[in-house]
């Protein structure tokens, strides 16, 4: 009987710890689900949450990119990436809201926060977000194979194309 009480106590402690960590995050997710108006502090919670996810995912992605595609370690890191997505279960819901928001909705401080995370590969930012770098660059001409039979572009050195 004593073992059952200890086990029950441990289970209750684990559940309380899990629930307390997602307090604000859970409240914001509920507001989104119920269609309530979001405040700037709600957007801050979402941006911080998604920023943490994107930062952790970027670290994993950088490690994956350094490995050959058929590497066993690459497979393990992809599994970790899946586990990270499970850990940040609200990221899809939050990114949907973040990508469709206006600067006025989120507020000046949150615009700066979005711009901080926008360069990360795993952070979905709105179109108005600044990712840094040369904003007048339209794209890049990438190296083309020498077997291009059309003769339009047969070789290039990755030249920037301005607007």
């Amino acid at each position: 009987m004593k073992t059952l009480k200890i086990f029950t106590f441990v289970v209750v402690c684990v559940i309380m710890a899990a629930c307390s960590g997602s307090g604000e995050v859970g409240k914001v997710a509920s507001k989104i689900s119920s269609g309530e108006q979001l405040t700037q502090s709600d957007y801050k919670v979402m941006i911080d949450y998604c920023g943490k996810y994107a930062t952790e995912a970027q670290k994993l992605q950088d490690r994956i990119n350094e490995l050959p595609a058929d590497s066993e370690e690459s497979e393990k890191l992809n599994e970790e990436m899946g586990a990270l997505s499970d850990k940040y279960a609200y990221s899809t819901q939050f990114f949907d809201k973040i990508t469709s928001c206006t600067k006025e909705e989120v507020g000046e401080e949150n615009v700066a926060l979005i711009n901080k995370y926008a360069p990360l590969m795993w952070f979905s930012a709105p179109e108005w977000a600044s990712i840094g770098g040369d904003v007048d660059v339209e794209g890049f001409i990438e190296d083309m194979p020498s077997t291009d039979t059309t003769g339009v572009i047969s070789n290039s050195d990755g030249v920037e194309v301005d607007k």
Side-chain angles (χ1 to χ4, degrees):
M1 189 67 171
K2 188 174 185 178
T3 305
L4 181 62
K5 286 181 182 180
I6 292 173
F7 178 74
T8 304
F9 175 74
V10 170
V11 169
V12 168
C13 288
V14 168
I15 291 171
M16 287 176 55
C19 292
S20 67
S22 65
E24 275 189 83
V25 172
K27 288 177 187 176
V28 172
S30 294
K31 284 178 83 170
I32 293 170
S33 296
S34 65
E36 292 181 44
Q37 181 74 26
L38 298 174
T39 65
Q40 290 182 4
S41 62
D42 293 334
Y43 277 104
K44 181 170 182 3
V45 169
M46 291 189 299
I47 296 164
D48 284 338
Y49 181 86
C50 291
K52 288 176 186 173
Y53 164 74
T55 302
E56 289 185 41
Q58 187 67 50
K59 290 175 187 174
L60 287 173
Q61 187 65 52
D62 290 344
R63 290 175 53 203
I64 290 170
N65 291 344
E66 293 173 358
L67 299 170
D70 59 350
S71 167
E72 287 182 29
E73 188 176 348
S74 178
E75 290 177 27
K76 290 177 187 175
L77 291 172
N78 282 324
E79 289 174 11
E80 284 183 43
M81 190 69 82
L84 184 64
S85 294
D86 293 340
K87 178 181 174 184
Y88 288 91
Y90 298 114
S91 61
T92 302
Q93 182 182 29
F94 288 175
F95 277 133
D96 286 345
K97 282 305 224 184
I98 292 170
T99 57
S100 63
C101 68
T102 65
K103 289 181 179 182
E104 292 75 27
E105 285 177 291
V106 298
E108 192 175 318
E109 289 180 19
N110 289 332
V111 167
L113 199 54
I114 287 174
N115 289 338
K116 172 186 169 187
Y117 293 120
L120 297 174
M121 177 180 183
W122 290 96
F123 190 86
S124 298
E127 287 184 22
W128 50 259
S130 171
I131 58 171
D134 188 355
V135 293
D136 291 329
V137 173
E138 182 69 24
F140 291 93
I141 298 174
E142 296 186 21
D143 286 343
M144 301 297 288
S146 61
T147 58
D148 183 14
T149 58
T150 63
V152 177
I153 299 176
S154 62
N155 197 352
S156 176
D157 292 325
V159 179
E160 290 182 4
V161 179
D162 295 332
K163 289 184 180 179

